[in-house]
C-alpha cells in the first residue's frame, strides 16, 4: 500500500476504481446463501445487490446496495468516498487525540513566539563561533558533522538503511529535506540573502525503500582495508563528518552518481554532484555557505527577519507551520511512541504476530504445491520467508529517538532538540542488525505508526503491520472470523511483495540478489507475471480507457497472492473449528464479501482517469474482480459458470503465489 498523507494525491489514489457495472435481473443465477447461526457479528449482507450476479461483477454484487445509497462522490479530489476513506479519517482523529507533555510545551511556545530572542541568539552564536573557529576546509567539514548533531541545518540528510544485514548510515544530498528553509538560489546573484521556505512533507523515502536499485546505488565511503585509502581520498569531507558524528566511516554510504531521480520537481532528490560541490568549495566559500545554512534559522526568533520575509516575498512562517514541519519530518518516531502508549497493547501486538505466522504457514503450504517452480528456487523462497522480519504495531522504543523538551524555552530550542534527537536516533541505529533496527528506521524516516497503512520494505526484507490494522473496524473481536480474515489479505499482500517482480530482485538479507535458482524459474515467473499484466490491461475502465497492467503489476501480484494466502489460512481455521456443509459454504462466502468490503468505494469518471496514470495500485473494482476471477475456490463458492462475465477457464486463471 502507498503511504497515507491527506495532502498528497497518493492518499486519494488508494481508493480509485471504475463506476461502470453490469446488472442482471435473474436472481436465481446467484448461489443460495444458507441460513445458519454465525459465531460472530456480521453486517455486510446489507451491502449486497442480489440483482447483480456474482459471476458478472463481484464488486457490484457485494457493494451495489451501498453504492446506490451514496449520493455524493465529491468529498475528495476528483470524487471518491469509501471504506478506506473512513479509515484514513479515523487515523487522523486518533493521532489528534494523543496528548503529551512535549507537545504541550511546543503549544505553549507558540503563544510566546519571540519571547526568548536573546537566549536563542546566544544559541545561534554558538554555531557561528564553531564555524568561525575553523581555519581549514577539513575543520569546516568536521564542523558540519558537529552542527548536524546539535540540530542546525547542513547541506545533507542522513537515514539508516541496510547492507549485508547491518544498519548503515546513508548520506542523502537533499537539502530540501530541511523543512524550515534553505538558501535561495538567487542568493548567489544578490548581495542580500533571500529565503525559500519549504514546509512541504517529503515522501520520497517510500519510493527509496521500494526501489530495486537501492543497494546497488549505494557506495561505501570506506570499504575493505585494501580500498580504504582510495575511498577516503574520494570523500574526505564525509569521512570528517562521520568522525565528528561518532560514526565509523566504514559504516557510511552515499548515493552514487548514477542513482536515478525518484521524483520530479520539488521532491527530487538532488544528485550526488551537489554534495561533491560542497567538498570542492574553497574554504572561504564553504564557510560562507554553511553560515547561510544555519542562518536560515534566524527567522525562528528574529521578528524583523520574519516580517521582512513576509513583506519581500509574501511568505509567512507561523509557529503552527514550524510545528507541522517538525512533526512531519523529525518527530515521527517520538509521536509514534506517544501514539503507541495510548493505543497499542501487548495483546494487539501478539495477535498481529500470530496472524502473520498463520499466513506464513499458509504460504508454505501453497508453495509446496507449486509445480512451476523448481525445488531449489522453492528453498530460496522459503529462506527469504524464514528470514523476513515481522514488525507489528510498535517496536521496543529506543531512548535516542525520544525527545525531551523539558529544558527548552522557545520554538527555536524545540527545533534544535527535535532535529538533534532525530540525528541521534539515526546514528544509534548504525551497526545494529536489520532485525534490531529496521522498524526504528522505518518509523523515523518514512512511515510513522499512526498511518492507515502497512508496507513491505525490500531493503530490510521486513513486513510492517501498523496498529490501525489491528483496531476496530479493520479488526473486530466481536465480528465473524471471515470479516477479520478478509482484513488479513492486506497482511498477505505485504508478504507477497517480497516475491513480486520487484521484491524478487532482493535476497533474504535485503540486498540486491535474485531468489531464482535457475534462469528457467525466472523465465517461468516472468511468463506468469506477463500474463497477469496482460489480463489487467484487457480491462476497459471507461470507453476507450484501459487499465495499465504493467504499471500496477507489483500490486496486482501482491493482491492476488495476499487474498489466496489469507483464504487458505481461513480454510485452515474453518477446518480446525469443525465447519462443514452449508456452514462451511456460508463462511467462505463471507470471506469474499469481507474482502470486497475492504476496498468498497464509489468514485467519479474523473477519478478513474487520474488513478489509471498516477496510482501504482489497480482501481478498487479491479482489485476485487480481477483477483477473484483467478481463484478456483471463488468459482465453486459462488457457483460461477461459463457465460458469466468474469468467467475464465481453469487454464486461463493465473496463479503465482
Amino acid at each position: 500500500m502507498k503511504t497515507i498523507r491527506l495532502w498528497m494525491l497518493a492518499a486519494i489514489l488508494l481508493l480509485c476504481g471504475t463506476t461502470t457495472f453490469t446488472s442482471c435481473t435473474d436472481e436465481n443465477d446467484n448461489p443460495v446463501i444458507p441460513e445458519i447461526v454465525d459465531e460472530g457479528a456480521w453486517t455486510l449482507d446489507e451491502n449486497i445487490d442480489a440483482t447483480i450476479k456474482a459471476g458478472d461483477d463481484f464488486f457490484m454484487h457485494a457493494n451495489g446496495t451501498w453504492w446506490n445509497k451514496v449520493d455524493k462522490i465529491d468529498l475528495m479530489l476528483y470524487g471518491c468516498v469509501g471504506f478506506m476513506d473512513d479509515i484514513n479519517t479515523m487515523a487522523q482523529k486518533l493521532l489528534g487525540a494523543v496528548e503529551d507533555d512535549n507537545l504541550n510545551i511546543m503549544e505553549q511556545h507558540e503563544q510566546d513566539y519571540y519571547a526568548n530572542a536573546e537566549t536563542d541568539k546566544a544559541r545561534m552564536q554558538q554555531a557561528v563561533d564553531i564555524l568561525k573557529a575553523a581555519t581549514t576546509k577539513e575543520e569546516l567539514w568536521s564542523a558540519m558533522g558537529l552542527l548536524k548533531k546539535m540540530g542546525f541545518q547542513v547541506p545533507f540528510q542522513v537515514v539508516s538503511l541496510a547492507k549485508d544485514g547491518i544498519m548503515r548510515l546513508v548520506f542523502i544530498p537533499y537539502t530540501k529535506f530541511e523543512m524550515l528553509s534553505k538558501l535561495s538560489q538567487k542568493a548567489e546573484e544578490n548581495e542580500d540573502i533571500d529565503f525559500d521556505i519549504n514546509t512541504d512533507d517529503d515522501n520520497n523515502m517510500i519510493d527509496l525503500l521500494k526501489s530495486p536499485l537501492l543497494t546497488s546505488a549505494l557506495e561505501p565511503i570506506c570499504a575493505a582495508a585494501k580500498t580504504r585509502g582510495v575511498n577516503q581520498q574520494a570523500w574526505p569531507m564525509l569521512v570528517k563528518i562521520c568522525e565528528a558524528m561518532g560514526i565509523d566511516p566504514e559504516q557510511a554510504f552515499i548515493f552514487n552518481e548514477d542513482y536515478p531521480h525518484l521524483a520530479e520537481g520539488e521532491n527530487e532528490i538532488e544528485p550526488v554532484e551537489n554534495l561533491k560541490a560542497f567538498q570542492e568549495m574553497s574554504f572561504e566559500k564553504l564557510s560562507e555557505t554553511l553560515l547561510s545554512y544555519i542562518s536560515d534559522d534566524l527567522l525562528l526568533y528574529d521578528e524583523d527577519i520574519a516580517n521582512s520575509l513576509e513583506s519581500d516575498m509574501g511568505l509567512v512562517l507561523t509557529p503552527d507551520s514550524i510545528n507541522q514541519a517538525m512533526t512531519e519530518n523529525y518527530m515521527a518516531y517520538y509521536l509514534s511512541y506517544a501514539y503507541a502508549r495510548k493505543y497499542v497493547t501487548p495483546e494487539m501486538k501478539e495477535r498481529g504476530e500470530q496472524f502473520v505466522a498463520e499466513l506464513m504457514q499458509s504460504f508454505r503450504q501453497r508453495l509446496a504445491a507449486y509445480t512451476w517452480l523448481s525445488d531449489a528456487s522453492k528453498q530460496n523462497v522459503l529462506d527469504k520467508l524464514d528470514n523476513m522480519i515481522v514488525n507489528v504495531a510498535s517496536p521496543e522504543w529506543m531512548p535516542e529517538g525520544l525527545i525531551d523538551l523539558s529544558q527548552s524555552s522557545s520554538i527555536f530550542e524545540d527545533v534544535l532538540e527535535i532535529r538533534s534527537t532525530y540525528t541521534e536516533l539515526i546514528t544509534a541505529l548504525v551497526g545494529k542488525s536489520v532485525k534490531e533496527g529496521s522498524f526504528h528506521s522505518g518509523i523515523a524516516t518514512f512511515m510513522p505508526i499512526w498511518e492507515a497503512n502497512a508496507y513491505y520494505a525490500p531493503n530490510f526484507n521486513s513486513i510492517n503491520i501498523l496498529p490501525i490494522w489491528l483496531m476496530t473496524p479493520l479488526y473486530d473481536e466481536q465480528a465473524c472470523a471471515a470479516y477479520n480474515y478478509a482484513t488479513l489479505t492486506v497482511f498477505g499482500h505485504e508478504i507477497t511483495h517480497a516475491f513480486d517482480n520487484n521484491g524478487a530482485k532482493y535476497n533474504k538479507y535485503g540486498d540486491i540478489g535474485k531468489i531464482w535458482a535457475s534462469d528457467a524459474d525466472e523465465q517461468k515467473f516472468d511468463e506468469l507475471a506477463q500474463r497477469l499484466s496482460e489480463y489487467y490491461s484487457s480491462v476497459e475502465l471507461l470507453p476507450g480507457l484501459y487499465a495499465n497492467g504493467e504499471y500496477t503489476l507489483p500490486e496486482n501480484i501482491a493482491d492476488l497472492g495476499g487474498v489466496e494466502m489469507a483464504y487458505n489460512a481461513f480454510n485452515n481455521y474453518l477446518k480446525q473449528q469443525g465447519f462443514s456443509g452449508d456452514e462451511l459454504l456460508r463462511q467462505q462466502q463471507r470471506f469474499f464479501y469481507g474482502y470486497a468490503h475492504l476496498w468498497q468505494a464509489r468514485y467519479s469518471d474523473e477519478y478513474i482517469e487520474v488513478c489509471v496514470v498516477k496510482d501504482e495500485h489497480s482501481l478498487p473494482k479491479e482489485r476485487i474482480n480481477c483477483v477473484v476471477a483467478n481463484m478456483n475456490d471463488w468459482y465453486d463458492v459462488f457457483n460461477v459458470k461459463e457465460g458469466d462475465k468474469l468467467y475464465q477457464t481453469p487454464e486461463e486463471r493465473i496463479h503465482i503465489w
Side-chain angles (χ1 to χ4, degrees):
M1 297 177 67
K2 291 178 80 70
T3 183
I4 311 287
R5 297 189 190 277
L6 297 181
W7 63 270
M8 294 188 66
L9 182 60
I12 302 165
L13 298 176
L14 281 172
L15 305 176
C16 49
T18 179
T19 58
T20 59
F21 61 90
T22 304
S23 63
C24 177
T25 58
D26 187 358
E27 296 184 28
N28 293 327
D29 285 333
N30 282 316
V32 176
I33 301 176
E35 295 294 335
I36 65 165
V37 177
D38 185 54
E39 84 286 359
W42 179 260
T43 61
L44 301 187
D45 285 348
E46 63 189 27
N47 297 329
I48 297 173
D49 186 345
T51 68
I52 300 174
K53 291 176 61 178
D56 281 346
D57 186 340
F58 188 69
F59 176 86
M60 286 304 302
H61 169 73
N63 295 314
T65 300
W66 171 87
W67 177 292
N68 292 326
K69 290 179 181 178
V70 178
D71 58 2
K72 287 189 67 178
I73 57 172
D74 60 348
L75 300 184
M76 293 181 70
L77 185 62
Y78 302 112
C80 181
V81 294
F83 178 63
M84 284 304 299
D85 185 28
D86 294 337
I87 301 302
N88 297 336
T89 301
M90 184 186 83
Q92 294 301 314
K93 289 181 178 179
L94 290 173
L95 178 62
V98 172
E99 295 184 359
D100 180 79
D101 290 342
N102 286 300
L103 298 180
N104 293 335
I105 290 172
M106 293 177 68
E107 290 178 0
Q108 292 171 9
H109 292 160
E110 287 185 22
Q111 309 304 316
D112 302 304
Y113 194 2
Y114 302 112
N116 202 38
E118 290 303 315
T119 301
D120 292 341
K121 183 178 180 180
R123 289 288 299 273
M124 176 64 78
Q125 189 61 49
Q126 291 177 350
V128 173
D129 290 344
I130 288 173
L131 290 177
K132 289 186 174 180
T135 59
T136 65
K137 285 176 61 174
E138 288 76 10
E139 290 177 350
L140 284 176
W141 295 338
S142 296
M144 269 198 281
L146 180 58
L147 291 173
K148 180 68 174 175
K149 289 182 64 176
M150 294 171 63
F152 289 93
Q153 299 196 67
V154 294
F156 62 84
Q157 184 52 283
V158 291
V159 297
S160 182
L161 300 175
K163 184 164 175 52
D164 301 321
I166 301 297
M167 303 299 295
R168 316 287 183 162
L169 184 75
V170 178
F171 286 94
I172 297 180
Y174 189 29
T175 58
K176 296 187 183 72
F177 194 92
E178 296 293 350
M179 286 298 156
L180 287 182
S181 62
K182 68 179 282 287
L183 188 65
S184 171
Q185 299 298 326
K186 297 179 181 179
E188 296 184 1
E189 304 172 7
N190 304 308
E191 293 183 2
D192 297 330
I193 294 178
D194 293 330
F195 293 96
D196 176 20
I197 302 302
N198 182 350
T199 58
D200 289 338
D201 183 20
D202 166 48
N203 195 45
N204 280 323
M205 292 301 102
I206 297 292
D207 294 325
L208 186 155
L209 288 181
K210 284 185 176 180
S211 170
L213 298 175
L214 175 64
T215 306
S216 62
L218 297 174
E219 64 168 310
I221 297 171
C222 300
K226 62 181 180 180
T227 60
R228 182 181 176 95
V230 174
N231 287 322
Q232 279 188 323
Q233 184 178 5
W235 282 106
M237 178 181 73
L238 297 185
V239 171
K240 286 294 184 182
I241 290 172
C242 284
E243 292 172 349
M245 295 177 67
I247 296 295
D248 182 352
E250 293 189 27
Q251 300 276 21
F253 290 76
I254 59 173
F255 290 107
N256 71 11
E257 296 177 357
D258 63 353
Y259 193 79
H261 292 172
L262 299 175
E264 297 179 356
E266 298 243 340
N267 288 329
E268 184 176 282
I269 291 181
E270 297 179 6
V272 73
E273 284 81 4
N274 289 17
L275 197 56
K276 288 183 177 179
F278 286 97
Q279 180 170 273
E280 295 168 1
M281 282 181 182
S282 67
F283 171 82
E284 292 76 13
K285 180 64 174 178
L286 181 59
S287 180
E288 175 186 349
T289 302
L290 293 177
L291 183 61
S292 298
Y293 266 90
I294 66 171
S295 295
D296 279 1
D297 285 340
L298 286 171
L299 54 88
L300 291 176
Y301 61 84
D302 192 310
E303 189 171 8
D304 291 337
I305 290 179
N307 290 337
S308 175
L309 183 71
E310 180 177 358
S311 62
D312 294 346
M313 303 181 65
L315 298 175
V316 180
L317 189 68
T318 66
D320 182 65
S321 67
I322 294 170
N323 288 348
Q324 181 180 359
M326 290 297 101
T327 297
E328 292 175 344
N329 297 285
Y330 297 103
M331 291 184 68
Y333 190 82
Y334 180 78
L335 288 178
S336 294
Y337 163 75
Y339 181 97
R341 283 187 301 171
K342 184 174 180 67
Y343 299 116
V344 176
T345 65
E347 293 76 17
M348 176 191 295
K349 189 176 178 71
E350 180 180 2
R351 181 167 59 242
E353 291 172 346
Q354 289 175 346
F355 283 151
V356 172
E358 193 173 343
L359 289 170
M360 286 184 167
Q361 181 57 30
S362 170
F363 185 92
R364 292 184 183 94
Q365 290 174 346
R366 292 178 53 77
L367 180 66
Y370 295 160
T371 58
W372 65 270
L373 199 59
S374 71
D375 289 342
S377 285
K378 285 183 181 181
Q379 188 57 53
N380 289 347
V381 170
L382 285 174
D383 286 346
K384 186 170 184 180
L385 185 71
D386 292 341
N387 280 273
M388 187 178 291
I389 298 165
V390 178
N391 296 322
V392 174
S394 68
E396 297 296 324
W397 300 97
M398 291 178 59
E400 293 86 352
L402 306 180
I403 62 172
D404 180 4
L405 302 180
S406 61
Q407 304 303 311
S408 177
S409 58
S410 68
I411 282 183
F412 179 55
E413 290 190 335
D414 293 346
V415 168
L416 293 182
E417 173 65 22
I418 292 166
R419 286 195 195 128
S420 176
T421 302
Y422 170 87
T423 301
E424 185 180 6
L425 172 64
I426 295 302
T427 55
L429 292 174
V430 176
K432 293 185 179 297
S433 70
V434 175
K435 185 174 183 178
E436 293 176 296
S438 64
F439 209 8
H440 304 282
S441 176
I443 291 171
T445 305
F446 71 99
M447 186 69 75
I449 69 168
W450 65 77
E451 298 279 15
N453 217 330
Y455 64 97
Y456 173 75
N459 178 244
F460 300 143
N461 188 25
S462 69
I463 62 166
N464 304 271
I465 309 301
L466 304 187
I468 202 164
W469 289 97
L470 297 162
M471 301 168 68
T472 304
L474 288 171
Y475 172 83
D476 187 349
E477 290 185 356
Q478 304 303 316
C480 172
Y483 180 95
N484 291 323
Y485 272 89
T487 296
L488 295 190
T489 60
V490 174
F491 297 24
H493 174 105
E494 301 308 332
I495 293 172
T496 307
H497 267 313
F499 311 102
D500 67 24
N501 55 313
N502 288 330
K505 298 174 183 177
Y506 289 82
N507 63 22
K508 61 183 179 181
Y509 301 114
D511 296 322
I512 293 296
K514 296 178 182 179
I515 61 174
W516 314 116
S518 68
D519 292 341
D521 286 336
E522 183 175 12
Q523 181 178 354
K524 184 59 178 178
F525 173 82
D526 290 343
E527 290 173 357
L528 291 170
Q530 181 62 28
R531 284 181 56 197
L532 192 66
S533 174
E534 292 172 355
Y535 172 68
Y536 276 81
S537 293
S538 70
V539 177
E540 189 173 23
L541 307 174
L542 294 172
L545 179 64
Y546 289 83
N548 188 338
E550 181 179 0
Y551 180 53
T552 58
L553 180 59
E555 297 299 331
N556 296 338
I557 292 174
D559 277 345
L560 180 57
V563 176
E564 295 214 276
M565 193 187 310
Y567 182 74
N568 184 68
F570 181 51
N571 274 315
N572 289 340
Y573 164 82
L574 293 176
K575 292 176 183 178
Q576 292 171 0
Q577 297 299 314
F579 283 88
S580 62
D582 286 349
E583 292 186 3
L584 177 64
L585 176 62
R586 175 71 169 188
Q587 294 304 316
Q588 290 170 330
Q589 290 171 347
R590 285 184 167 183
F591 172 90
F592 288 106
Y593 285 132
Y595 175 61
H597 172 68
L598 193 62
W599 303 114
Q600 180 187 80
R602 185 175 180 183
Y603 29 80
S604 67
D605 289 357
E606 292 79 9
Y607 195 71
I608 296 171
E609 292 170 352
V610 171
C611 290
V612 74
V613 296
K614 293 288 187 179
D615 192 8
E616 63 195 41
H617 301 80
S618 290
L619 301 162
K621 184 176 180 181
E622 282 59 59
R623 295 190 78 167
I624 305 304
N625 286 346
C626 292
V627 167
V628 298
N630 282 289
M631 295 182 63
N632 294 332
D633 285 348
W634 175 74
Y635 287 81
D636 297 333
V637 168
F638 287 94
N639 194 29
V640 178
K641 299 173 292 186
E642 188 173 359
D644 292 340
K645 294 182 179 180
L646 293 179
Y647 180 84
Q648 295 193 100
T649 66
E651 294 76 22
E652 291 174 326
R653 299 167 200 169
I654 304 161
H655 307 280
I656 303 180
W657 301 113

